[in-house]
Amino acid sequence: MVSLRVNGKSLSAKGASTILESARKAGIDIPTLCYHPALPPGGACRICLVEEESTGRLLTACNTRVEGGMSILTDTQRISTARQRMLELIFARHPVDCTICEAANTCRLRLYAARYGVSGGELPRRGELLPITDANSLIHRDYSKCIGCGICVRACGEVQGAAAVEFIGSGPRYRPAATFDHPLDASECELCGLCVSLCPVGALMEKPSIHHGLETRRVDTVCPYCGCGCDLELRVAGERIIGARAEAPAAWNGVSLCAKGRYGLGFVNHPDRLGKPLERTAEGWQERSWDWALEAIAERLRRILDESGPSAVGILASAKSTNEENYLMQKFARAALGTNNVDHCARL
Amino acid sequence: MTNSIADIEKADVILVTGSNTTENHPVLAQSIKRAVLHGGTQLILVDPRKVPLARYASLHLRPKLGTDVAWLNAMARVVLRESLQDTKFVAKRTEGVDELAAFLERYEPEAMERITGIPAGVLTQAARLYARANRASIFYAMGITQHQQGTDNVRAVANLAMLCGHLGKPGTGVNPLRGQNNVQGACDMGALPAFLPGYQRVDSAEVRAKFSGAWGRDISAARGLTIGEMIEAAGAGKLRALLVFGENPVVTEPDSDGTARALDALEMLVVQDLFLTETAQMAHFVLPGRSFAEKDGTFTSTERRVQKLRRAVEAPGEAWADGESVCRLSALLGYPMIYEPAEAMREIAELTPSYAGIDHARLEKGGIQWPCPQAGHPGTPILHTDGFTRGKGAFACVEYKPPAEKTGKRYPLLLTTGRTRYAYHAGSMTVRTALAAMQRQGCLEMNPADAELLALADGDLVRVESQRGALTTRLCLSARSPQGVVFMSFHFPEERVNRLISPAFDPQSGIPEYKVTAVKVALAGGEASA
């Protein structure tokens, strides 16, 4: 442990920690764009500049390790001016079309622009707009908005382990791309959407969520797909699921989901969902009330049980139902119907 | 899984077999990829297809379909021949090693090469790598179990892990990957014909007495029927009514046409589901079900982690949870039950030793891995740390048997099936999401060399035929499949690949042999799916 001072406040921090980590732990906020706690620091955006009091050096807080006796200032006029300049430089490449940008109030660049009083038009615009890369149905890439933070590249290599994206080009054309700039779905990309979920601006967007607005609530639950059991934070607007993230701090899956967990939830609100019990009749499907349908089913079950005994009925429980429901289903089979004819698709 | 997902990156060597992990368990696969890329872990991949994990593998062994016992035994043979076994572990924790050693003498890698197609040198290298590792784990999925010899395959996997002492420690283990969100839980809860909750046997009088005491009804001692047997019994008129919750056997069961005929013979088929699936369309009554986002309760993941799901949105119309309809129906049959998930979990905990310490309130703070034998118990991330369920681990001498289906003049190719990245199971969920646009239809994956022999080109409409039936689909050429092997997913009901699959199953597990079917492929005569 080392002792240091941040804005005059004495802190003790682990020797291996960075200025950013120890400051945030103490509740002192330092703005960041290219930093994410799940990734190794990038030191690319320089918004996290802080000042070392004794030397006057400006240090990037995200990748500078704490040293004993350090005294760090995070909020001086000099730092504010430096951050303003950095933001102005970013905006020289970043279109100021916030009114039509899907990132809207989730955009961290916009947040800091407001905080540091940057309008985006301070410096003349450099470079041209790049075409939107929009070939697949899941991920929308608008690299004109890319600020070169490298979060997507690091997330893909360090967390997803796919290393499908890297930086290509130089100068104003410097941007992330799949190898040989192939379309994502023709590359090593697994369309897991991790990069999209971590992008601090509107350069990467989840297509299925576009134009669904902001969520009204978030619900922490479990993914309905494979058996991994990823923690899923549903983004819900009204009664619609408009997206999903992995953000529960204690969950084993950290910030990760896969293509299915992230983009495969549209079935919940699909118009094909059944909303009424149905009976197949000679005239086709007839809607029934629950009471009517259950009584008709019970009636037939009673008759079959009377005539042929419990071995003539069976239950297929479900690997998609809850534990509690499966428990009740097998209890129903065994205690109410009197048969062990209960199974599910464990073998498929 | 004997071990936990958090454990994966602690292994020095990981052996993955019969699992296309990056596509079917993508987030878990991250840990394997990270271990290789950043942790110096060596990956041994054993899979006939060049699945995406091959990119990360130090060794990729490509056995012929259905020869798993042969290569697994050969690896164990190398371990014993070169004295690479963990003698302390074997002496203290296992029994039957001498019989195994004598038995395995016939499984020299050189002799097995002819059966498996794996060069003896590569197999020896893999065996050494696995055995010499400080910590080594094995992961497998349906590529091991969906064979007539599936249970034997698993025993052979266990032999190898026990010989090398790679069990009961972090970064080791025998780790089956479960394919559905709650398939582990459905098994744990006794949705199985021979087991009550917690794998308590129906054929034990003591177990039955415990449950009949709690439930107030006698429990039948007769083992019930598996899905496959129920379908057979339906076809034979012995099973007259079937209630299906959230499953789609017409698409997922082998011999789809036979399955449909059998279900058609039922006097009453009731299906509760989210959608009017292919099976629901055959039902007499269809009940609207609730999705995971519309109910409370728990799921148990592949690492035995019981986790709380939470209701997020209102269900459409009058959709009810499966549990609700079961309880109401039960009441109409004179056995009232109340659907209250937290209360049901209290009952589960009372009757299921491995869930005894689990309740909903605890789960609010995070999932718990069973066994969790009492309140306050932290759960069990690693099984078998001190002993096995039966005490000492017994080595099993399992003899290799060739798969039931063989290629010949009439059916010269072997078909294997599985899942793909953007679709899931019978497809009823994923087809109704943004993922559908990523993969609109299935295809037959074939090695370009085979296509050349058959004078077929990428994108051709082809007819795939087995002894059971035929279907029409597009051909996609890929070096993923080795020569002589073709691959299809079972996601697309319009193809219904399972109509090609034999209903023959592993007599011990009841698992059908989805992974090996002899087929022939020819240019389709322009007609749609037969």
Side-chain angles (χ1 to χ4, degrees):
Chain A
M1 298 297 278
V2 298
S3 306
L4 72 158
R5 285 152 61 84
V6 178
N7 297 346
K9 191 171 163 184
S10 294
L11 307 179
S12 65
K14 279 193 199 138
S17 62
T18 62
I19 296 172
L20 179 69
E21 285 161 353
S22 43
R24 284 201 175 162
K25 217 171 158 189
I28 298 164
D29 185 40
I30 297 173
T32 57
L33 286 168
C34 74
Y35 172 83
H36 191 281
L39 303 175
C45 74
R46 309 192 75 77
I47 294 297
C48 70
L49 285 175
V50 294
E51 186 176 340
E52 191 182 31
E53 196 175 7
S54 58
T55 61
R57 280 192 305 167
L58 294 184
L59 305 169
T60 43
C62 71
N63 61 356
T64 306
R65 301 224 179 278
V66 293
E67 286 167 28
M70 245 181 181
S71 175
I72 297 294
L73 300 172
T74 71
D75 217 4
T76 64
Q77 185 54 48
R78 190 165 162 240
I79 293 165
S80 287
T81 307
R83 288 181 185 154
Q84 268 170 0
R85 292 294 100 79
M86 295 315 303
L87 290 167
E88 287 163 11
L89 282 167
I90 291 171
F91 273 111
R93 270 192 64 188
H94 185 95
V96 190
D97 56 3
C98 305
T99 49
I100 53 162
C101 180
E102 185 70 22
N105 282 344
T106 64
C107 177
R108 300 244 302 283
L109 183 60
R110 189 173 157 188
L111 169 77
Y112 296 138
R115 187 181 295 176
Y116 292 98
V118 173
S119 75
E122 284 83 356
L123 296 178
R125 192 163 166 81
R126 288 195 300 145
E128 69 259 49
L129 292 176
L130 301 168
I132 288 172
T133 315
D134 200 17
N136 68 74
S137 66
L138 305 180
I139 296 177
H140 172 104
R141 294 182 289 162
D142 182 356
Y143 283 129
S144 302
K145 295 178 186 167
C146 176
I147 58 168
C149 74
I151 281 184
C152 54
V153 174
R154 277 176 286 145
C156 195
E158 304 288 335
V159 178
Q160 179 64 11
V165 286
E166 59 196 9
F167 278 104
I168 61 163
S170 58
R173 299 194 142 266
Y174 181 70
R175 65 174 174 91
T179 312
F180 304 124
D181 205 12
H182 281 165
L184 289 181
D185 53 344
S187 74
E188 300 289 352
C189 173
E190 298 170 3
L191 280 292
C192 73
L194 176 63
C195 56
V196 185
S197 74
L198 302 183
C199 179
V201 294
L204 300 177
M205 279 290 145
E206 296 184 343
K207 279 172 89 171
S209 301
I210 287 176
H211 306 316
H212 281 294
L214 281 177
E215 70 270 12
T216 50
R217 60 186 184 279
R218 298 177 177 189
V219 181
D220 187 27
T221 187
V222 185
C223 180
Y225 281 104
C226 78
C228 287
C230 290
D231 195 280
L232 199 63
E233 195 187 74
L234 298 176
R235 303 292 166 95
V236 183
E239 297 305 325
R240 284 191 78 78
I241 295 172
I242 60 169
R245 292 284 164 98
E247 284 186 348
W252 71 269
N253 54 309
V255 289
S256 299
L257 293 172
C258 72
K260 281 175 265 222
R262 214 181 280 280
Y263 305 118
L265 304 174
F267 71 91
V268 172
N269 296 107
H270 197 278
D272 288 353
R273 283 289 302 274
L274 299 171
K276 274 276 210 181
L278 301 172
E279 184 188 12
R280 187 154 52 94
T281 68
E283 290 82 48
W285 293 108
Q286 300 294 323
E287 288 190 356
R288 302 291 187 207
S289 72
W290 271 99
D291 284 347
W292 194 96
L294 289 180
E295 187 45 55
I297 294 165
E299 178 58 41
R300 292 205 207 179
L301 280 174
R302 277 185 220 113
R303 183 166 49 79
I304 292 169
L305 288 170
D306 281 350
E307 290 170 8
S308 307
S311 65
V313 295
I315 302 274
L316 288 194
S318 179
K320 309 227 70 73
S321 295
T322 62
N323 286 324
E324 292 77 2
E325 291 176 303
N326 274 290
Y327 173 80
L328 293 167
M329 286 174 201
Q330 60 84 38
K331 183 178 174 185
F332 170 66
R334 290 176 164 126
L337 299 175
T339 179
N340 285 310
N341 289 346
V342 54
D343 198 10
H344 71 287
C345 67
R347 302 171 189 85
L348 312 186
Chain B
M1 285 169 60
T2 62
N3 287 53
S4 299
I5 300 170
D7 238 36
I8 294 174
E9 290 175 73
K10 294 176 186 156
D12 303 305
V13 170
I14 299 175
L15 190 157
V16 175
T17 182
S19 158
N20 183 1
T21 328
T22 57
E23 300 204 34
N24 299 331
H25 298 90
V27 183
L28 183 144
Q30 275 190 354
S31 305
I32 298 174
K33 294 186 289 184
R34 281 199 303 251
V36 171
L37 291 178
H38 310 304
T41 300
Q42 301 219 59
L43 173 66
I44 304 168
L45 177 68
V46 190
D47 200 300
R49 291 173 71 224
K50 200 174 169 200
V51 293
L53 262 190
R55 186 182 157 211
Y56 302 83
S58 307
L59 290 172
H60 182 188
L61 282 54
R62 302 180 77 174
K64 292 182 189 162
L65 293 191
T67 63
D68 300 295
V69 166
W71 69 260
L72 284 160
N73 278 353
M75 273 181 79
R77 170 62 190 150
V78 172
V79 171
L80 288 165
R81 186 171 74 181
E82 303 191 359
S83 301
L84 300 173
Q85 70 270 39
D86 181 338
T87 40
K88 249 201 231 155
F89 186 93
V90 169
K92 202 174 139 214
R93 299 278 309 268
T94 70
E95 57 194 25
V97 71
D98 295 337
E99 292 85 337
L100 180 75
F103 170 78
L104 288 178
E105 275 172 18
R106 279 176 285 145
Y107 284 86
E108 294 290 359
E110 293 75 17
M112 289 303 109
E113 188 171 325
R114 196 177 37 82
I115 294 170
T116 63
I118 302 170
V122 181
L123 186 121
T124 306
Q125 220 184 327
R128 287 176 186 157
L129 194 58
Y130 175 79
R132 284 179 182 155
N134 188 23
R135 290 168 168 185
S137 52
I138 301 178
F139 291 82
Y140 67 85
M142 293 306 203
I144 283 292
T145 53
Q146 284 180 344
H147 292 278
Q148 286 207 46
Q149 236 192 323
T151 311
D152 290 343
N153 287 345
V154 173
R155 291 203 178 112
V157 167
N159 283 347
L160 187 61
M162 289 197 299
L163 266 185
C164 301
H166 291 325
L167 276 163
K169 291 178 290 198
T172 69
V174 170
N175 301 295
L177 303 176
R178 310 300 310 249
Q180 303 218 37
N181 57 343
N182 200 35
V183 65
Q184 183 67 54
C187 292
D188 296 348
M189 291 303 109
L192 293 170
F195 296 99
L196 284 147
Y199 307 95
Q200 301 177 82
R201 301 183 63 96
V202 156
D203 60 12
S204 150
E206 198 184 330
V207 167
R208 286 198 309 278
K210 167 172 149 183
F211 281 88
S212 32
W215 293 347
R217 287 278 175 106
D218 284 340
I219 308 296
S220 164
R223 177 190 162 284
L225 303 176
T226 63
I227 295 188
E229 291 164 345
M230 282 193 239
I231 288 165
E232 212 184 308
K238 287 181 195 149
L239 191 84
R240 297 174 60 190
L242 183 64
L243 276 57
V244 178
F245 296 94
E247 305 225 342
N248 194 0
V250 174
V251 177
T252 57
E253 283 296 307
D255 185 18
S256 314
D257 298 342
T259 300
R261 276 194 302 276
L263 295 183
D264 206 36
L266 285 165
E267 283 172 51
M268 181 170 69
L269 175 64
V270 179
V271 174
Q272 182 160 11
D273 209 303
L274 308 185
F275 303 106
L276 204 56
T277 62
E278 293 70 20
T279 304
Q281 283 169 31
M282 299 187 61
H284 301 92
F285 296 96
V286 180
L287 307 174
R290 288 197 177 180
S291 78
F292 82 106
E294 295 146 2
K295 55 191 177 188
D296 290 298
T298 58
F299 289 149
T300 304
S301 76
T302 192
E303 57 168 355
R304 300 168 281 104
R305 188 183 296 278
V306 186
Q307 307 188 99
K308 186 83 178 54
L309 77 157
R310 296 176 186 85
R311 189 167 165 172
V313 292
E314 286 293 328
E318 296 171 24
W320 282 5
D322 305 342
E324 181 74 51
S325 45
V326 163
C327 288
R328 304 262 191 129
L329 189 58
S330 194
L332 291 178
L333 291 171
Y335 187 78
M337 297 197 294
I338 303 290
Y339 176 60
E340 210 290 286
E343 186 49 47
M345 185 50 86
R346 266 192 286 280
E347 197 175 312
I348 293 164
E350 260 169 46
L351 292 166
T352 314
S354 54
Y355 279 68
I358 293 177
D359 65 63
H360 279 195
R362 260 193 94 178
L363 295 175
E364 289 298 335
K365 287 183 243 111
I368 298 171
Q369 288 172 281
W370 66 255
C372 178
Q374 72 263 341
H377 187 284
T380 311
I382 303 177
L383 295 179
H384 316 312
T385 48
D386 303 315
F388 294 104
T389 316
R390 69 184 290 279
K392 285 197 170 187
F395 287 109
C397 298
V398 288
E399 198 81 79
Y400 164 70
K401 296 183 205 84
E405 296 260 323
K406 287 176 194 62
T407 53
K409 269 216 176 89
R410 197 165 153 70
Y411 300 108
L413 296 165
L414 284 180
L415 168 76
T416 192
T417 64
R419 294 182 181 167
T420 59
R421 179 178 295 151
Y422 302 114
Y424 181 75
H425 228 63
S428 67
M429 289 158 66
T430 42
V431 77
R432 294 178 174 92
T433 69
L435 297 167
M438 298 300 293
Q439 190 187 10
R440 291 250 177 241
Q441 54 188 1
C443 68
L444 181 81
E445 176 186 287
M446 181 185 272
N447 190 289
D450 285 332
E452 209 182 311
L453 286 177
L454 294 166
L456 295 172
D458 197 40
D460 276 352
L461 199 60
V462 291
R463 181 179 151 86
V464 190
E465 188 190 314
S466 80
Q467 275 187 58
R468 257 80 43 194
L471 59 82
T472 306
T473 187
R474 293 273 163 205
L475 188 70
C476 50
L477 299 186
S478 164
R480 258 197 195 191
S481 282
Q483 259 182 277
V485 171
V486 290
F487 170 85
M488 273 186 84
S489 78
F490 60 102
H491 302 310
F492 300 94
E494 58 277 16
E495 295 177 334
R496 218 170 281 185
V497 69
N498 284 331
R499 70 177 61 172
L500 306 182
I501 308 292
S502 158
F505 50 80
D506 178 345
Q508 298 170 82
S509 68
I511 298 182
E513 189 154 55
Y514 289 102
K515 299 300 188 199
V516 193
T517 305
V519 295
K520 71 171 172 190
V521 178
L523 204 59
E527 66 211 298
S529 199

